[in-house]
Amino acid sequence: MTSVAQLERILKHVLEERANALARETGFVKRERKLTGADFAQILLFGHLHTPQASLDQLTQAAQLRQVQISSSGLHQRCTQEAARFLQAVLSELVEQVVSVQAAPIALFKPFKQVIVEDSSTIILPAALKELWPGCGGGSQENSERSQAALKLHVRWDVKHGQLMGPRLSAGRVHELHGTRESGADWPWQFVRG
């Protein structure tokens, strides 16, 4: 079972050390600067965690918690293709961490090797990302424009053993059944697009 202390160590390792290394590997950080990969990832993560629809001004206020002074336009200028690749790499690192909870001691599960519960959630993205993460479109014209780009997160939970797998990412247009159909080593970490 993963303890709170273990989870803290995992998050600190990925969001500090690995984030800085991934920023260099993905080209997000080309030279030492005031805004590190760890800063950028944590500003966006915690800024949006606190206020899901956070504006750039609100995110720059979150930056001050990391003692980073950056303007709204400065933060906006950092939102590039390299930043997207970097954030995807950080997400990949996070989902590769094994988190387990106490298994469900239910007698009905005893004869089975695994008992899997699957779920998917869709996040609407800006239309500019429709080539990378195509959505379903459809519906009214307003909804069609809003859902040109979408990201689907697929999660599996092994209830019998208490292991969480995922999230696995796919384009919003991928049906839930197709997003989780792969098994074995391909299931938890392979990214599917289009």
Side-chain angles (χ1 to χ4, degrees), residues 89-127:
V90 170
L91 178 61
S92 294
E93 290 271 336
L94 284 169
V95 300
E96 287 177 13
Q97 305 305 314
V98 177
V99 176
S100 59
V101 296
Q102 188 170 356
I106 299 174
L108 179 65
F109 295 165
K110 216 171 209 174
F112 301 101
K113 185 176 177 180
Q114 289 181 308
V115 177
I116 304 292
V117 175
E118 297 178 351
D119 189 28
S120 297
S121 295
T122 302
I123 300 171
I124 302 297
L125 299 172

Side-chain angles (χ1 to χ4, degrees), residues 6 11 16 27 40 56 66 129 154 158 163 189:
Q6 290 169 318
L11 290 174
E16 286 287 342
F40 186 74
L56 286 170
R66 285 197 53 87
L129 296 172
H154 308 272
D158 181 343
Q163 185 175 7
W189 322 124

Side-chain angles (χ1 to χ4, degrees), residues 6 14 20 29 31 76 101 103 113 131-132 138 151 167 180 187:
Q6 290 169 318
V14 174
N20 287 327
V29 170
R31 62 188 187 287
H76 184 261
V101 296
K113 185 176 177 180
E131 296 298 320
L132 186 60
L151 177 67
T180 59
W187 146 244

Side-chain angles (χ1 to χ4, degrees), residues 13-24 37-39 41 86 90:
H13 172 71
V14 174
L15 293 176
E16 286 287 342
E17 299 162 31
R18 287 298 299 147
N20 287 327
L22 291 169
R24 288 186 297 279
D39 291 332
F86 162 63
V90 170

Side-chain angles (χ1 to χ4, degrees), residues 27-45:
F28 175 66
V29 170
K30 294 174 180 63
R31 62 188 187 287
E32 286 300 316
R33 54 172 61 172
K34 291 180 185 177
L35 186 70
T36 67
D39 291 332
F40 186 74
Q42 290 182 44
I43 289 166
L44 294 181
L45 174 68

